PDB file of all heavy atoms in Angstrom:
ATOM      1  N   GLN A1099      31.137  57.097  28.632  1.00 91.00           N
ATOM      2  CA  GLN A1099      30.064  57.719  29.398  1.00 91.00           C
ATOM      3  C   GLN A1099      29.557  58.981  28.710  1.00 91.00           C
ATOM      4  O   GLN A1099      28.348  59.198  28.596  1.00 91.00           O
ATOM      5  CB  GLN A1099      30.542  58.050  30.810  1.00 91.00           C
ATOM      6  CG  GLN A1099      29.408  58.567  31.661  1.00 91.00           C
ATOM      7  CD  GLN A1099      29.825  58.781  33.112  1.00 91.00           C
ATOM      8  OE1 GLN A1099      30.175  59.879  33.506  1.00 91.00           O
ATOM      9  NE2 GLN A1099      29.800  57.729  33.895  1.00 91.00           N
ATOM     10  N   VAL A1100      30.483  59.812  28.212  1.00 94.00           N
ATOM     11  CA  VAL A1100      30.070  61.039  27.533  1.00 94.00           C
ATOM     12  C   VAL A1100      29.300  60.715  26.259  1.00 94.00           C
ATOM     13  O   VAL A1100      28.262  61.309  25.966  1.00 94.00           O
ATOM     14  CB  VAL A1100      31.297  61.926  27.208  1.00 94.00           C
ATOM     15  CG1 VAL A1100      30.906  63.089  26.325  1.00 94.00           C
ATOM     16  CG2 VAL A1100      31.934  62.414  28.503  1.00 94.00           C
ATOM     17  N   ALA A1101      29.800  59.731  25.502  1.00 95.00           N
ATOM     18  CA  ALA A1101      29.118  59.331  24.275  1.00 95.00           C
ATOM     19  C   ALA A1101      27.691  58.910  24.598  1.00 95.00           C
ATOM     20  O   ALA A1101      26.737  59.316  23.928  1.00 95.00           O
ATOM     21  CB  ALA A1101      29.879  58.198  23.593  1.00 95.00           C
ATOM     22  N   GLY A1102      27.551  58.107  25.671  1.00 89.00           N
ATOM     23  CA  GLY A1102      26.219  57.681  26.086  1.00 89.00           C
ATOM     24  C   GLY A1102      25.329  58.887  26.361  1.00 89.00           C
ATOM     25  O   GLY A1102      24.187  58.946  25.908  1.00 89.00           O
ATOM     26  N   GLY A1103      25.877  59.835  27.097  1.00 88.00           N
ATOM     27  CA  GLY A1103      25.105  61.016  27.458  1.00 88.00           C
ATOM     28  C   GLY A1103      24.690  61.853  26.254  1.00 88.00           C
ATOM     29  O   GLY A1103      23.601  62.420  26.218  1.00 88.00           O
ATOM     30  N   LEU A1104      25.570  61.901  25.248  1.00 93.00           N
ATOM     31  CA  LEU A1104      25.277  62.714  24.061  1.00 93.00           C
ATOM     32  C   LEU A1104      24.476  61.935  23.020  1.00 93.00           C
ATOM     33  O   LEU A1104      24.155  62.463  21.948  1.00 93.00           O
ATOM     34  CB  LEU A1104      26.574  63.214  23.426  1.00 93.00           C
ATOM     35  CG  LEU A1104      27.426  64.197  24.237  1.00 93.00           C
ATOM     36  CD1 LEU A1104      28.729  64.487  23.516  1.00 93.00           C
ATOM     37  CD2 LEU A1104      26.647  65.492  24.480  1.00 93.00           C
ATOM     38  N   GLY A1105      24.185  60.681  23.320  1.00 91.00           N
ATOM     39  CA  GLY A1105      23.428  59.864  22.372  1.00 91.00           C
ATOM     40  C   GLY A1105      24.240  59.422  21.168  1.00 91.00           C
ATOM     41  O   GLY A1105      23.712  59.059  20.131  1.00 91.00           O
ATOM     42  N   ILE A1106      25.568  59.457  21.313  1.00 94.00           N
ATOM     43  CA  ILE A1106      26.431  58.975  20.231  1.00 94.00           C
ATOM     44  C   ILE A1106      26.611  57.472  20.402  1.00 94.00           C
ATOM     45  O   ILE A1106      27.031  57.008  21.461  1.00 94.00           O
ATOM     46  CB  ILE A1106      27.805  59.677  20.278  1.00 94.00           C
ATOM     47  CG1 ILE A1106      27.622  61.169  20.066  1.00 94.00           C
ATOM     48  CG2 ILE A1106      28.751  59.073  19.257  1.00 94.00           C
ATOM     49  CD1 ILE A1106      28.911  61.967  20.215  1.00 94.00           C
ATOM     50  N   LYS A1107      26.271  56.712  19.361  1.00 93.00           N
ATOM     51  CA  LYS A1107      26.319  55.259  19.507  1.00 93.00           C
ATOM     52  C   LYS A1107      27.723  54.701  19.313  1.00 93.00           C
ATOM     53  O   LYS A1107      28.392  55.007  18.333  1.00 93.00           O
ATOM     54  CB  LYS A1107      25.363  54.609  18.494  1.00 93.00           C
ATOM     55  CG  LYS A1107      23.926  54.786  18.877  1.00 93.00           C
ATOM     56  CD  LYS A1107      23.053  53.676  18.305  1.00 93.00           C
ATOM     57  CE  LYS A1107      21.647  53.752  18.840  1.00 93.00           C
ATOM     58  NZ  LYS A1107      20.617  53.773  17.770  1.00 93.00           N
ATOM     59  N   VAL A1108      28.105  53.855  20.274  1.00 93.00           N
ATOM     60  CA  VAL A1108      29.382  53.155  20.198  1.00 93.00           C
ATOM     61  C   VAL A1108      29.083  51.691  19.960  1.00 93.00           C
ATOM     62  O   VAL A1108      28.247  51.111  20.670  1.00 93.00           O
ATOM     63  CB  VAL A1108      30.172  53.320  21.511  1.00 93.00           C
ATOM     64  CG1 VAL A1108      31.482  52.527  21.461  1.00 93.00           C
ATOM     65  CG2 VAL A1108      30.457  54.796  21.794  1.00 93.00           C
ATOM     66  N   PRO A1109      29.656  51.028  18.951  1.00 95.00           N
ATOM     67  CA  PRO A1109      30.726  51.517  18.073  1.00 95.00           C
ATOM     68  C   PRO A1109      30.230  52.086  16.750  1.00 95.00           C
ATOM     69  O   PRO A1109      31.062  52.488  15.942  1.00 95.00           O
ATOM     70  CB  PRO A1109      31.523  50.238  17.807  1.00 95.00           C
ATOM     71  CG  PRO A1109      30.481  49.168  17.767  1.00 95.00           C
ATOM     72  CD  PRO A1109      29.413  49.598  18.734  1.00 95.00           C
ATOM     73  N   GLU A1110      28.897  52.124  16.541  1.00 95.00           N
ATOM     74  CA  GLU A1110      28.409  52.524  15.224  1.00 95.00           C
ATOM     75  C   GLU A1110      28.927  53.903  14.812  1.00 95.00           C
ATOM     76  O   GLU A1110      29.407  54.097  13.694  1.00 95.00           O
ATOM     77  CB  GLU A1110      26.876  52.523  15.203  1.00 95.00           C
ATOM     78  CG  GLU A1110      26.258  51.126  15.322  1.00 95.00           C
ATOM     79  CD  GLU A1110      26.144  50.631  16.752  1.00 95.00           C
ATOM     80  OE1 GLU A1110      26.666  51.331  17.656  1.00 95.00           O
ATOM     81  OE2 GLU A1110      25.560  49.554  16.970  1.00 95.00           O
TER      82      GLU A1110
END
Side-chain angles (χ1 to χ4, degrees):
Chain A
Q1099 186 175 96
V1100 171
L1104 294 175
I1106 298 175
K1107 287 206 172 127
V1108 177
E1110 292 83 353

